[in-house]
Amino acid sequence: MMLRGFRSYKQFLQSYEGIATNILADRLRKLIAHGIITTEPDPSDGRKMIYSLTAKGIDLGPVLTEMVLWAAAHEETENPALVHRIQKDKQQFLAEVRQRLT
């Protein structure tokens, strides 16, 4: 959500990670239960849900950024442009993410 901008179940399901539907549904429920994300009906189709980060979820930005940088230092990344942006100016990147999500 924070880095790729995914907001729907379908977007998460179609991501390159290839997460199983039962695992995805369970993880989304846990994130909701812990107050990291919230849901609301999709205005264009009330049967679908739109997921959004809460303030608590947005506060995870620095942690996730460090994890991305750590992973990129140890293995090939799917998004080298993102890693480069973070490395160039981490604080600016986090400010942009926070602004986009609030």
Side-chain angles (χ1 to χ4, degrees), residues 40-92:
E40 61 185 60
D42 184 333
S44 64
D45 184 349
R47 297 170 297 166
K48 297 178 182 177
M49 299 304 286
I50 297 294
Y51 297 90
S52 301
L53 286 164
T54 63
K56 183 177 178 180
I58 293 169
D59 284 346
L60 286 169
V63 176
L64 295 174
T65 300
E66 290 301 326
M67 290 176 69
V68 167
L69 292 175
W70 176 86
H74 295 283
E75 47 184 78
E76 196 170 317
T77 179
E78 292 285 326
N79 194 341
L82 173 67
V83 172
H84 180 70
R85 276 186 60 213
I86 295 170
Q87 289 170 332
K88 183 178 176 185
D89 190 342
K90 191 184 327 178
Q91 294 309 313
Q92 177 63 32

Side-chain angles (χ1 to χ4, degrees), residues 12-29:
F12 294 123
L13 196 59
Q14 293 175 341
S15 68
Y16 75 89
E17 289 92 348
I19 190 166
T21 57
N22 60 326
I23 301 293
L24 175 60
D26 180 63
R27 291 197 180 148
L28 289 170
R29 274 193 299 275

